[in-house]
Amino acid sequence: MERKMYKSAFVYLILSLCAGVFFREYTKLSGFTGLTSLSFMHLHYFVLGFMMFLLLGILSPRFSKEPAKQIILLHIGLNITEAGFLLRGLDDIHSLPLPSAAISGIAGTGHIIIAVSLVWIMVKLTGRK
């Protein structure tokens, strides 16, 4: 399990770096100078992806059983959140005809899934049933 966590951390590190480069270069090429949600993608992938999975890899010997469902849920929640940030960022730059509430709903759903998975992981880590 420890190895899976480190592999996930590495993938999220790469995604984080790519998100940062995409934000910088895409806004520059688009001539956009304002604030955009694309800037949050780098931070979320770095902290909730790379650092979280690095930490889970370090803590994995403390788990009594592999928290596979919780980890899958964390992956899903993080990537749904990132999809919301991507849509919102592209909407910020290009003023796309996307419903604002729907984009917020996507990001909000992703954040809720992340919260549930993190609480569930902590319950697993502390050994409570």
Short mmCIF file of all heavy atoms in Angstrom, two decimals, residues 77-121:
data_model
loop_
_atom_site.label_atom_id
_atom_site.label_comp_id
_atom_site.label_asym_id
_atom_site.label_seq_id
_atom_site.Cartn_x
_atom_site.Cartn_y
_atom_site.Cartn_z
N GLY A 77 -12.86 12.79 -5.58
CA GLY A 77 -13.20 14.13 -5.10
C GLY A 77 -12.21 15.19 -5.56
O GLY A 77 -12.61 16.28 -5.98
N LEU A 78 -10.93 14.86 -5.50
CA LEU A 78 -9.91 15.82 -5.91
C LEU A 78 -10.03 16.14 -7.40
O LEU A 78 -9.96 17.31 -7.80
CB LEU A 78 -8.51 15.29 -5.59
CG LEU A 78 -7.33 16.17 -5.98
CD1 LEU A 78 -7.45 17.55 -5.37
CD2 LEU A 78 -6.03 15.51 -5.54
N ASN A 79 -10.25 15.14 -8.21
CA ASN A 79 -10.31 15.38 -9.65
C ASN A 79 -11.62 16.05 -10.08
O ASN A 79 -11.63 16.82 -11.04
CB ASN A 79 -10.03 14.09 -10.41
CG ASN A 79 -8.56 13.73 -10.31
OD1 ASN A 79 -7.70 14.46 -10.80
ND2 ASN A 79 -8.26 12.65 -9.62
N ILE A 80 -12.72 15.79 -9.36
CA ILE A 80 -13.96 16.53 -9.63
C ILE A 80 -13.76 18.00 -9.28
O ILE A 80 -14.18 18.89 -10.03
CB ILE A 80 -15.15 15.92 -8.84
CG1 ILE A 80 -15.55 14.58 -9.45
CG2 ILE A 80 -16.34 16.88 -8.84
CD1 ILE A 80 -16.59 13.84 -8.64
N THR A 81 -13.12 18.26 -8.15
CA THR A 81 -12.83 19.64 -7.75
C THR A 81 -11.98 20.34 -8.80
O THR A 81 -12.24 21.49 -9.18
CB THR A 81 -12.11 19.66 -6.39
OG1 THR A 81 -12.96 19.05 -5.42
CG2 THR A 81 -11.79 21.07 -5.95
N GLU A 82 -10.97 19.65 -9.28
CA GLU A 82 -10.09 20.23 -10.30
C GLU A 82 -10.85 20.51 -11.59
O GLU A 82 -10.60 21.52 -12.26
CB GLU A 82 -8.91 19.30 -10.58
CG GLU A 82 -7.95 19.17 -9.41
CD GLU A 82 -7.24 20.46 -9.08
OE1 GLU A 82 -6.80 21.17 -10.01
OE2 GLU A 82 -7.10 20.76 -7.90
N ALA A 83 -11.79 19.63 -11.95
CA ALA A 83 -12.60 19.87 -13.14
C ALA A 83 -13.42 21.14 -12.98
O ALA A 83 -13.56 21.94 -13.92
CB ALA A 83 -13.51 18.67 -13.41
N GLY A 84 -13.96 21.35 -11.77
CA GLY A 84 -14.70 22.58 -11.50
C GLY A 84 -13.82 23.81 -11.63
O GLY A 84 -14.24 24.83 -12.21
N PHE A 85 -12.59 23.74 -11.10
CA PHE A 85 -11.67 24.86 -11.22
C PHE A 85 -11.30 25.12 -12.67
O PHE A 85 -11.17 26.27 -13.10
CB PHE A 85 -10.39 24.62 -10.42
CG PHE A 85 -10.55 24.81 -8.94
CD1 PHE A 85 -9.97 23.91 -8.05
CD2 PHE A 85 -11.26 25.87 -8.41
CE1 PHE A 85 -10.11 24.07 -6.68
CE2 PHE A 85 -11.41 26.04 -7.06
CZ PHE A 85 -10.82 25.15 -6.18
N LEU A 86 -11.10 24.07 -13.44
CA LEU A 86 -10.75 24.22 -14.85
C LEU A 86 -11.89 24.90 -15.61
O LEU A 86 -11.66 25.86 -16.36
CB LEU A 86 -10.42 22.86 -15.47
CG LEU A 86 -10.06 22.88 -16.96
CD1 LEU A 86 -8.78 23.68 -17.19
CD2 LEU A 86 -9.90 21.46 -17.47
N LEU A 87 -13.12 24.42 -15.39
CA LEU A 87 -14.26 25.04 -16.07
C LEU A 87 -14.44 26.49 -15.67
O LEU A 87 -14.67 27.36 -16.51
CB LEU A 87 -15.54 24.25 -15.76
CG LEU A 87 -15.68 22.90 -16.45
CD1 LEU A 87 -16.90 22.17 -15.92
CD2 LEU A 87 -15.77 23.08 -17.95
N ARG A 88 -14.33 26.76 -14.37
CA ARG A 88 -14.47 28.14 -13.88
C ARG A 88 -13.36 29.03 -14.45
O ARG A 88 -13.60 30.16 -14.86
CB ARG A 88 -14.44 28.18 -12.36
CG ARG A 88 -14.36 29.56 -11.75
CD ARG A 88 -15.64 30.35 -11.80
NE ARG A 88 -16.60 29.71 -10.93
CZ ARG A 88 -17.92 29.77 -11.12
NH1 ARG A 88 -18.41 30.44 -12.12
NH2 ARG A 88 -18.74 29.15 -10.30
N GLY A 89 -12.13 28.51 -14.50
CA GLY A 89 -11.01 29.28 -15.03
C GLY A 89 -11.17 29.60 -16.51
O GLY A 89 -10.93 30.72 -16.94
N LEU A 90 -11.60 28.60 -17.28
CA LEU A 90 -11.82 28.84 -18.70
C LEU A 90 -12.97 29.81 -18.92
O LEU A 90 -12.93 30.64 -19.83
CB LEU A 90 -12.08 27.51 -19.43
CG LEU A 90 -10.89 26.56 -19.48
CD1 LEU A 90 -11.29 25.24 -20.12
CD2 LEU A 90 -9.70 27.18 -20.20
N ASP A 91 -13.98 29.72 -18.06
CA ASP A 91 -15.09 30.67 -18.12
C ASP A 91 -14.61 32.08 -17.77
O ASP A 91 -15.04 33.06 -18.40
CB ASP A 91 -16.21 30.23 -17.16
CG ASP A 91 -17.42 31.14 -17.23
OD1 ASP A 91 -17.86 31.46 -18.34
OD2 ASP A 91 -17.90 31.53 -16.15
N ASP A 92 -13.72 32.20 -16.78
CA ASP A 92 -13.16 33.51 -16.41
C ASP A 92 -12.43 34.14 -17.59
O ASP A 92 -12.55 35.34 -17.84
CB ASP A 92 -12.17 33.37 -15.25
CG ASP A 92 -12.83 33.01 -13.93
OD1 ASP A 92 -14.05 33.20 -13.80
OD2 ASP A 92 -12.11 32.51 -13.04
N ILE A 93 -11.69 33.34 -18.30
CA ILE A 93 -10.85 33.86 -19.39
C ILE A 93 -11.66 34.17 -20.64
O ILE A 93 -11.48 35.21 -21.27
CB ILE A 93 -9.71 32.87 -19.71
CG1 ILE A 93 -8.75 32.78 -18.52
CG2 ILE A 93 -8.96 33.27 -20.98
CD1 ILE A 93 -7.74 31.66 -18.63
N HIS A 94 -12.55 33.26 -21.00
CA HIS A 94 -13.24 33.37 -22.29
C HIS A 94 -14.71 33.78 -22.19
O HIS A 94 -15.38 33.87 -23.22
CB HIS A 94 -13.16 32.04 -23.05
CG HIS A 94 -11.76 31.63 -23.36
ND1 HIS A 94 -10.96 32.33 -24.24
CD2 HIS A 94 -11.01 30.61 -22.89
CE1 HIS A 94 -9.77 31.73 -24.30
NE2 HIS A 94 -9.78 30.69 -23.49
N SER A 95 -15.23 34.00 -21.00
CA SER A 95 -16.65 34.33 -20.79
C SER A 95 -17.56 33.35 -21.53
O SER A 95 -18.41 33.74 -22.34
CB SER A 95 -16.94 35.76 -21.24
OG SER A 95 -16.17 36.67 -20.50
N LEU A 96 -17.37 32.08 -21.25
CA LEU A 96 -18.15 31.03 -21.89
C LEU A 96 -19.59 31.06 -21.39
O LEU A 96 -19.85 31.51 -20.28
CB LEU A 96 -17.53 29.66 -21.59
CG LEU A 96 -16.08 29.46 -22.03
CD1 LEU A 96 -15.56 28.13 -21.53
CD2 LEU A 96 -15.97 29.53 -23.54
N PRO A 97 -20.52 30.58 -22.20
CA PRO A 97 -21.93 30.58 -21.77
C PRO A 97 -22.24 29.38 -20.86
O PRO A 97 -23.12 28.58 -21.13
CB PRO A 97 -22.69 30.49 -23.09
CG PRO A 97 -21.77 29.73 -23.99
CD PRO A 97 -20.38 30.16 -23.58
N LEU A 98 -21.48 29.24 -19.78
CA LEU A 98 -21.69 28.14 -18.84
C LEU A 98 -22.46 28.65 -17.63
O LEU A 98 -22.20 29.76 -17.15
CB LEU A 98 -20.34 27.57 -18.38
CG LEU A 98 -19.45 26.98 -19.46
CD1 LEU A 98 -18.09 26.63 -18.88
CD2 LEU A 98 -20.09 25.75 -20.06
N PRO A 99 -23.40 27.85 -17.13
CA PRO A 99 -24.14 28.29 -15.94
C PRO A 99 -23.24 28.31 -14.71
O PRO A 99 -22.63 27.31 -14.36
CB PRO A 99 -25.25 27.25 -15.81
CG PRO A 99 -24.81 26.08 -16.61
CD PRO A 99 -23.86 26.59 -17.65
N SER A 100 -23.15 29.43 -14.06
CA SER A 100 -22.27 29.62 -12.93
C SER A 100 -22.60 28.68 -11.78
O SER A 100 -21.71 28.14 -11.12
CB SER A 100 -22.35 31.07 -12.45
OG SER A 100 -21.48 31.28 -11.37
N ALA A 101 -23.89 28.46 -11.54
CA ALA A 101 -24.29 27.58 -10.44
C ALA A 101 -23.85 26.14 -10.70
O ALA A 101 -23.48 25.42 -9.76
CB ALA A 101 -25.80 27.64 -10.25
N ALA A 102 -23.86 25.72 -11.93
CA ALA A 102 -23.45 24.35 -12.25
C ALA A 102 -21.95 24.17 -12.00
O ALA A 102 -21.53 23.14 -11.45
CB ALA A 102 -23.77 24.03 -13.71
N ILE A 103 -21.16 25.15 -12.37
CA ILE A 103 -19.72 25.07 -12.13
C ILE A 103 -19.44 25.05 -10.63
O ILE A 103 -18.63 24.25 -10.15
CB ILE A 103 -18.98 26.23 -12.81
CG1 ILE A 103 -19.16 26.17 -14.33
CG2 ILE A 103 -17.49 26.19 -12.47
CD1 ILE A 103 -18.64 27.38 -15.06
N SER A 104 -20.11 25.91 -9.90
CA SER A 104 -19.95 25.93 -8.44
C SER A 104 -20.39 24.61 -7.83
O SER A 104 -19.80 24.13 -6.87
CB SER A 104 -20.74 27.08 -7.83
OG SER A 104 -20.25 28.30 -8.29
N GLY A 105 -21.43 24.03 -8.38
CA GLY A 105 -21.92 22.74 -7.90
C GLY A 105 -20.91 21.63 -8.11
O GLY A 105 -20.74 20.76 -7.25
N ILE A 106 -20.23 21.66 -9.24
CA ILE A 106 -19.20 20.65 -9.53
C ILE A 106 -18.07 20.77 -8.51
O ILE A 106 -17.67 19.79 -7.88
CB ILE A 106 -18.67 20.80 -10.97
CG1 ILE A 106 -19.74 20.41 -11.98
CG2 ILE A 106 -17.42 19.95 -11.17
CD1 ILE A 106 -19.41 20.77 -13.40
N ALA A 107 -17.55 21.97 -8.34
CA ALA A 107 -16.46 22.18 -7.39
C ALA A 107 -16.89 21.88 -5.96
O ALA A 107 -16.15 21.27 -5.19
CB ALA A 107 -15.93 23.61 -7.50
N GLY A 108 -18.11 22.28 -5.61
CA GLY A 108 -18.62 22.03 -4.27
C GLY A 108 -18.79 20.54 -3.99
O GLY A 108 -18.46 20.06 -2.89
N THR A 109 -19.30 19.81 -4.97
CA THR A 109 -19.44 18.36 -4.82
C THR A 109 -18.08 17.71 -4.63
O THR A 109 -17.92 16.83 -3.78
CB THR A 109 -20.15 17.76 -6.06
OG1 THR A 109 -21.43 18.37 -6.21
CG2 THR A 109 -20.30 16.26 -5.94
N GLY A 110 -17.11 18.14 -5.39
CA GLY A 110 -15.76 17.61 -5.23
C GLY A 110 -15.20 17.88 -3.85
O GLY A 110 -14.59 17.00 -3.23
N HIS A 111 -15.41 19.08 -3.34
CA HIS A 111 -14.94 19.42 -1.99
C HIS A 111 -15.63 18.58 -0.92
O HIS A 111 -15.00 18.15 0.05
CB HIS A 111 -15.14 20.92 -1.71
CG HIS A 111 -14.06 21.78 -2.26
ND1 HIS A 111 -14.14 22.36 -3.49
CD2 HIS A 111 -12.88 22.16 -1.72
CE1 HIS A 111 -13.04 23.08 -3.70
NE2 HIS A 111 -12.26 22.97 -2.65
N ILE A 112 -16.92 18.34 -1.08
CA ILE A 112 -17.65 17.51 -0.12
C ILE A 112 -17.11 16.08 -0.14
O ILE A 112 -16.90 15.47 0.92
CB ILE A 112 -19.16 17.54 -0.42
CG1 ILE A 112 -19.72 18.92 -0.10
CG2 ILE A 112 -19.90 16.45 0.36
CD1 ILE A 112 -21.13 19.15 -0.62
N ILE A 113 -16.86 15.55 -1.32
CA ILE A 113 -16.32 14.19 -1.44
C ILE A 113 -14.94 14.12 -0.79
O ILE A 113 -14.61 13.15 -0.09
CB ILE A 113 -16.28 13.73 -2.91
CG1 ILE A 113 -17.71 13.57 -3.44
CG2 ILE A 113 -15.50 12.43 -3.07
CD1 ILE A 113 -17.80 13.35 -4.94
N ILE A 114 -14.11 15.14 -1.00
CA ILE A 114 -12.79 15.19 -0.36
C ILE A 114 -12.94 15.18 1.16
O ILE A 114 -12.25 14.43 1.86
CB ILE A 114 -12.00 16.43 -0.81
CG1 ILE A 114 -11.57 16.29 -2.27
CG2 ILE A 114 -10.78 16.66 0.07
CD1 ILE A 114 -10.99 17.56 -2.87
N ALA A 115 -13.84 16.00 1.68
CA ALA A 115 -14.05 16.07 3.13
C ALA A 115 -14.49 14.73 3.70
O ALA A 115 -13.96 14.27 4.72
CB ALA A 115 -15.07 17.15 3.47
N VAL A 116 -15.43 14.09 3.04
CA VAL A 116 -15.91 12.78 3.51
C VAL A 116 -14.77 11.77 3.49
O VAL A 116 -14.59 11.01 4.46
CB VAL A 116 -17.10 12.30 2.64
CG1 VAL A 116 -17.43 10.84 2.91
CG2 VAL A 116 -18.33 13.18 2.89
N SER A 117 -14.00 11.75 2.42
CA SER A 117 -12.91 10.77 2.33
C SER A 117 -11.84 11.03 3.38
O SER A 117 -11.32 10.08 3.99
CB SER A 117 -12.30 10.76 0.93
OG SER A 117 -11.62 11.97 0.66
N LEU A 118 -11.52 12.29 3.66
CA LEU A 118 -10.50 12.59 4.67
C LEU A 118 -10.97 12.21 6.07
O LEU A 118 -10.18 11.66 6.86
CB LEU A 118 -10.11 14.07 4.61
CG LEU A 118 -9.33 14.49 3.36
CD1 LEU A 118 -9.08 15.99 3.38
CD2 LEU A 118 -8.04 13.73 3.23
N VAL A 119 -12.23 12.47 6.38
CA VAL A 119 -12.76 12.06 7.69
C VAL A 119 -12.75 10.54 7.79
O VAL A 119 -12.36 9.97 8.81
CB VAL A 119 -14.18 12.64 7.91
CG1 VAL A 119 -14.85 12.00 9.12
CG2 VAL A 119 -14.12 14.14 8.06
N TRP A 120 -13.15 9.87 6.72
CA TRP A 120 -13.18 8.40 6.70
C TRP A 120 -11.77 7.83 6.85
O TRP A 120 -11.57 6.84 7.55
CB TRP A 120 -13.83 7.96 5.40
CG TRP A 120 -14.34 6.55 5.37
CD1 TRP A 120 -14.36 5.63 6.38
CD2 TRP A 120 -14.92 5.89 4.24
NE1 TRP A 120 -14.91 4.46 5.95
CE2 TRP A 120 -15.27 4.59 4.63
CE3 TRP A 120 -15.18 6.29 2.94
CZ2 TRP A 120 -15.85 3.68 3.77
CZ3 TRP A 120 -15.78 5.37 2.08
CH2 TRP A 120 -16.11 4.09 2.49
N ILE A 121 -10.78 8.45 6.22
CA ILE A 121 -9.39 8.02 6.37
C ILE A 121 -8.93 8.20 7.82
O ILE A 121 -8.28 7.31 8.38
CB ILE A 121 -8.47 8.79 5.39
CG1 ILE A 121 -8.69 8.30 3.96
CG2 ILE A 121 -7.00 8.63 5.78
CD1 ILE A 121 -8.04 9.16 2.90
#
